[in-house]
Amino acid sequence: MALLEVEGLSAGYGAIEALSEIDLTVEAGEIVTLVGANGAGKTTALMSISGIVRPKSGQIRFDGKNIVGLPPHELVGLGVAHSPEGRRIFARMTVLENLELGAFGRDDKAGIQEDIERIFELFPILGERRHQAGGTLSGGEQQMLALGRAMASRPKLLLLDEPSLGLAPLIVHKIFEVIRKLNSEGVTVLLVEQNARMALKLAHRGYVLETGRITLTDTGENLLKNERVQSAYLGE
């Protein structure tokens, strides 16, 4: 049984349909990426899974449980964490307070402290700036904080939406290095990423979304070699 199973999922905003009957699965321990142009429905897919957008139809099962209709905070408690596009950190709160808020549903104080120190090990700059307001951080540091905040819930499934958007290459490399490390430690990842080449190199499998529909799925390696994907998304 897959950790995440999406069947016949349709979702949108008012009369606008952003997703049309998509099916996808994510096995425990995988990194799976959604590839597609702007407006293809990738962000809507993640927001539907994390409970921010209510699907119009279809099923979403996490760890065998139907999660359609559950509020986001309950999904966090089940093990689903979402690091959204645009970071969405709490600008007036400190780095430490942002991370503590990521662990709001947990009551194991020792474990929370252990995880926060682990985040500071992965992102030393956050440790140095733990008492600094999040809004005063650079874009790259804010992305590290957004990822760290999601990690603080100790998720089974990490939903990442455009983690490299607008960042310098060195920071992008660091972010992807951490994603790979988290996955090696057992965290399952569903990734939306503008840099399709990096995403497919990182991912075990990928799905291609076009105007709300899945048109292709394969291993990350095979999608990198696919002429249609190369032409449309890799600039070749």
Side-chain angles (χ1 to χ4, degrees):
M1 181 179 65
L3 182 64
L4 176 70
E5 299 172 284
V6 175
E7 292 182 0
L9 178 66
S10 295
Y13 311 92
I16 300 172
E17 186 174 66
L19 293 174
S20 180
E21 298 185 349
I22 69 166
D23 298 332
L24 65 87
T25 60
V26 182
E27 301 289 339
E30 277 192 311
I31 299 176
V32 173
T33 188
L34 302 180
V35 175
N38 289 338
K42 305 185 300 296
T43 290
T44 301
L46 293 193
M47 292 197 299
S48 298
I49 293 165
S50 65
I52 299 170
V53 170
R54 179 70 182 260
K56 294 182 177 181
S57 61
Q59 295 290 315
I60 305 172
R61 291 185 294 276
F62 176 71
D63 216 5
K65 178 183 177 67
N66 180 18
I67 61 173
V68 173
L70 293 182
H73 70 275
E74 288 190 20
L75 293 176
V76 173
L78 292 175
V80 179
H82 187 173
S83 180
E85 182 181 5
R87 296 142 199 172
R88 309 283 181 91
I89 64 162
F90 296 94
R92 296 184 180 182
M93 299 175 69
T94 67
V95 167
L96 182 58
E97 288 168 340
N98 269 271
L99 295 178
E100 289 173 339
L101 194 57
F104 78 96
R106 297 172 55 184
D107 56 11
D108 56 324
K109 291 184 178 180
I112 292 170
Q113 185 58 41
E114 179 182 324
D115 286 349
I116 288 175
E117 289 304 321
R118 168 68 169 149
I119 292 165
F120 289 155
E121 288 178 12
L122 291 170
F123 300 119
I125 191 67
L126 296 184
E128 294 173 17
R129 302 188 177 182
R130 68 183 68 197
H131 299 302
Q132 187 170 322
T136 65
L137 301 178
S138 70
E141 291 160 358
Q142 289 187 20
Q143 184 59 63
M144 294 176 191
L145 181 56
L147 179 53
R149 183 181 59 189
M151 291 164 52
S153 67
R154 198 175 279 185
K156 297 177 184 177
L157 174 65
L158 186 56
L159 307 175
L160 299 178
D161 196 352
E162 301 287 10
S164 81
L165 187 63
L167 303 184
L170 191 62
I171 302 298
V172 172
H173 178 77
K174 176 64 175 178
I175 294 289
F176 271 70
E177 182 182 281
V178 169
I179 295 170
R180 182 179 288 106
K181 186 169 185 60
L182 291 174
N183 179 248
S184 73
E185 295 172 354
V187 179
T188 304
V189 178
L190 180 58
L191 171 67
V192 166
E193 169 55 47
Q194 59 165 353
N195 189 327
R197 185 181 303 280
M198 286 193 70
L200 290 171
K201 284 182 177 179
L202 181 69
H204 299 97
R205 293 187 300 113
Y207 291 87
V208 176
L209 264 174
E210 295 179 359
T211 58
R213 297 178 182 273
I214 290 175
T215 58
L216 185 63
T217 182
D218 209 328
T219 65
E221 182 179 2
N222 285 343
L223 288 174
L224 278 169
K225 298 174 183 176
N226 184 286
E227 291 184 1
R228 180 177 161 195
V229 172
Q230 289 177 352
S231 175
Y233 307 111
L234 305 181
E236 297 180 4

